[in-house]
Amino acid sequence: MKKLVAVKPRDAALLEYENQEVKPNEVKIEVEFASPKHGTEVIDFRGLTPFMDENFSEEWRMFLPREEGSAPGIVFGEFQLGNMVVGKIIEAGSEVKDYKEGETVCTYGPIMETVVVNAIDNHRLRKMPEGGKWQNAVCYDPAQFAMSGVRDANVRAGDYVVVVGLGAIGQIAIQLAKKAGASIVVGVDPLENRREIALKNGADVCFDPTACDVGLEVKKLTNKLGADSIIETSGNAAALQAALRGIAYGGTISYVAFGKAFPEGLNFGREAHFNNAKIVFSRAASEPNPDYPRWNRKRIEDTCWELLMNGYLNCEDIIDPVVPFSESAEAYMHFVDQRPELSIKMGIYYKK
């Protein structure tokens, strides 16, 4: 049996592992499809984990909230790559009542041939309904952050909405904003193929930020008013500056990106001051949620799963390329790390 592992920074390989025994509360899944995470996981893969930043002492790190699965350091050779898996249950523990052998499920998990997970009181182990698409299932994680970004931006019917950064989160945010009734939905990304996918799936217009002044174009498009909401997923300083230029007076910038330290030059005067912009830092994983107790992480997850499985969202265009598991190490290094512009979210299949 093999698993995809980071053996050293920016170097992936398929390594052998021993098949794990199933405990009474667990199920074993024979993986059929999988997908890595193209955002924070890649930072870890490159050896640039934020929690290893020299600016954070050990005393301060204990106060930092962490998402499930994150770690203050990476042990290469043991760091498994992957985010979501879809496959069939081939073994169920004696205490498992809600899942049966032969059922197709989706869960968080590393890219390996079999995945063993807790199956009791685990709402993140999802049964795939008949007709459910695996491409949608492996977008379960980015859909949650897209949905939180849209909700935190307070997108409403008739609004002018801009989504900056058309990776998986941005692509799903485009769809959610349009389906929420936004009058104009604008996508912003320097990559032509990403703009084309966004236009196909709900964007009314897309801009290349390297070819125009996005803030000015948004103002022109909205009769000088500006965007009611801007959902920023890129983490780029210039993108935030453009958002501050393009936001309407009193509008909201929902900052979804896991940003880095910005270089000198970001200006919170001028447009930011006169547009009276509100910046909300959006995270699906934060508890309590801004709309707590009505909304919490579980409700976000449940809602996203429903929208993905009933076809309300379409993620087939997002999953590309789809490569065989046997080639996943080389593909990960090429499409996810070295040439991320060639792929929004890579898919992996195990059998033809």
Side-chain angles (χ1 to χ4, degrees), residues 1 30-34 86 88 90 113-114 134 322-326 348-352:
M1 310 294 286
E30 184 178 50
V31 181
E32 298 175 333
F33 303 98
V86 174
K88 283 189 171 58
I90 56 173
E113 293 188 73
T114 57
W134 72 266
V322 180
V323 303
F325 174 68
S326 60
I348 296 169
Y349 69 89
Y350 288 69
K351 295 179 181 179
K352 290 185 178 180

Side-chain angles (χ1 to χ4, degrees), residues 13 104 175 204 206 225 234 291 307:
T104 301
Q175 296 186 39
D204 296 289
C206 286
L225 182 64
S234 74
D291 289 322
L307 299 180

